[in-house]
Amino acid sequence: MPMDKCPLFGRCGGCKYDFASPDYQAQKLTELRGVPTTGNPVWVSAGGRRRADFCFADGRFGFFAPRSKDVVPVTHCPGVADEINKILPQIASLPWNGAGSALVTLCDNGVDLAVTSGVPYFSADFKRAAAALPSDVIRVTWNGTTVWQRAAPTVTFAGTTVPYPVGAFLQPGRRGEDALRQLVVDRAAGATRVADLFCGLGNFTFALNADGFDIVGTGCRRDLYKNPVTVGMLRSYDCVVMDPPRGGAMAQCRELVKSDVARIIYVSCNPATFMRDREILERGGYRMTELIPVDQFVGSAHWELVGVFQK
């Protein structure tokens, strides 16, 4: 029987909105006030989150309580994928010392556990317990140092498999990731050469046969905040896709408006910085023709936006 309330909601601060509530969509839409969307939102069903950032302190593992540093113990979260819930009790029972965060990520070939803590070193007890975790857990790291590894984690985008570096960004769920990719691929149709800026591990890069700038792809690694792709480098592209972190893409937008790139597809996880960058692009001669919201971060206050700009 479908639930109409998450059993953790109100005690756990992991979500701002109860995704199981009958009026969830109406509540979540209030976050879009003042955002000039042009189409209906894309809703992503709950329960498929493949990465979750848990916390630990004083031997307790779970999520912080709302507006508090108290840890609410969690051994099952209705928002995450079944594969994570299956082994969450064993992860929660590890000998957690000190305080920090534990990023649990479901990769193609198993679960990755990346611990970040002010305690610089893991204990011998923690290493022994990590090695005894179910075989579903394929890597455990502590502040970037490998504690235990059964296999190198991988992720796949549009049929291309790449290594998953410790703590690297992934969209929170495959359903939302696939929806975003399809929106972008459809809106890039007809482009002859695409630059994928802030490309991450390649969510859009491979599907678009694009040059990736940031981490992977056929472009190059570069810090696009300090060193944006220049107007000279943009000369050979007729479409730019960019999916920056929450800080947006101000420096890159200032370079883009000097270019002749005909189409920009801007994917944003922060409406505030998107609206700031939209103003830069529109003052520079671009016109926003479409803005589609995607409920990528189910239960949170965050929306993903897909904006299309034409010159």
Side-chain angles (χ1 to χ4, degrees):
M1 178 181 296
M3 60 181 178
D4 59 6
K5 181 177 176 61
C6 173
L8 293 173
F9 188 75
R11 295 189 299 114
C12 149
C15 292
K16 180 177 179 179
Y17 299 106
D18 185 354
F19 54 77
S21 171
D23 64 345
Y24 167 69
Q25 293 187 4
Q27 293 184 57
K28 183 69 181 271
L29 285 170
T30 62
E31 299 288 346
L32 289 175
R33 288 181 184 138
V35 179
T37 58
T38 62
N40 293 326
V42 175
W43 297 101
V44 176
S45 56
R49 193 176 178 99
R50 66 174 170 189
R51 60 190 277 119
D53 207 358
F54 295 90
C55 61
F56 62 92
D58 300 322
R60 306 177 82 187
F61 176 95
F63 289 123
F64 288 125
R67 298 173 296 281
S68 170
K69 289 298 183 181
D70 293 336
V71 177
V72 177
V74 175
T75 56
H76 183 277
C77 171
V80 305
D82 291 341
E83 294 91 335
I84 292 177
N85 275 322
K86 175 184 173 184
I87 46 115
L88 201 53
Q90 289 90 343
I91 291 176
S93 66
L94 288 170
W96 297 103
N97 61 310
S101 65
L103 179 62
V104 180
T105 304
L106 176 62
C107 298
D108 290 348
N109 52 341
V111 173
D112 184 61
L113 173 61
V115 180
T116 303
S117 175
V119 178
Y121 305 110
F122 52 87
S123 67
D125 285 345
F126 186 88
K127 182 173 183 176
R128 281 192 293 270
L133 284 169
S135 59
D136 310 67
V137 181
I138 56 173
R139 182 175 67 185
V140 180
T141 59
W142 187 286
N143 290 338
T145 298
T146 300
V147 179
W148 182 260
Q149 180 169 312
R150 290 184 172 90
T154 61
V155 289
T156 300
F157 305 101
T160 298
T161 299
V162 299
Y164 174 68
V166 176
F169 176 76
L170 280 179
Q171 294 292 347
R174 289 194 180 98
R175 299 167 191 160
E177 179 181 272
D178 291 346
L180 283 174
R181 187 186 305 113
Q182 194 60 55
L183 284 169
V184 169
V185 168
D186 288 348
R187 281 145 187 82
T192 58
R193 192 172 180 202
V194 180
D196 184 9
L197 311 184
F198 306 95
C199 67
L201 298 179
N203 183 31
F204 307 120
T205 316
F206 305 110
L208 295 168
N209 193 28
D211 291 341
F213 294 85
D214 185 17
I215 298 180
V216 301
T218 55
C220 59
R221 293 174 181 261
R222 60 196 286 133
D223 183 339
L224 296 178
Y225 284 102
K226 297 178 181 178
N227 191 22
V229 176
T230 65
V231 63
M233 297 171 69
L234 291 166
R235 193 168 291 125
S236 59
Y237 299 103
D238 58 346
C239 179
V240 161
V241 173
M242 55 183 181
D243 183 9
R246 291 187 60 77
M250 180 187 291
Q252 187 62 70
C253 286
R254 288 175 172 164
E255 200 68 23
L256 278 163
V257 296
K258 304 174 193 174
S259 77
D260 294 323
V261 173
R263 189 184 327 167
I264 298 171
I265 304 170
Y266 189 156
V267 181
S268 169
C269 60
N270 186 346
T273 54
F274 175 87
M275 296 295 284
R276 178 202 67 198
D277 294 345
R278 171 201 173 201
E279 185 176 349
I280 295 171
L281 293 174
E282 291 187 333
R283 282 204 312 261
Y286 285 93
R287 178 174 59 93
M288 189 175 76
T289 59
E290 203 173 4
L291 183 59
I292 306 297
V294 179
D295 186 23
Q296 173 69 299
F297 303 90
V298 179
S300 76
H302 304 305
W303 280 93
E304 197 90 6
L305 301 175
V306 178
V308 181
F309 296 84
Q310 302 280 355
K311 179 182 273 189

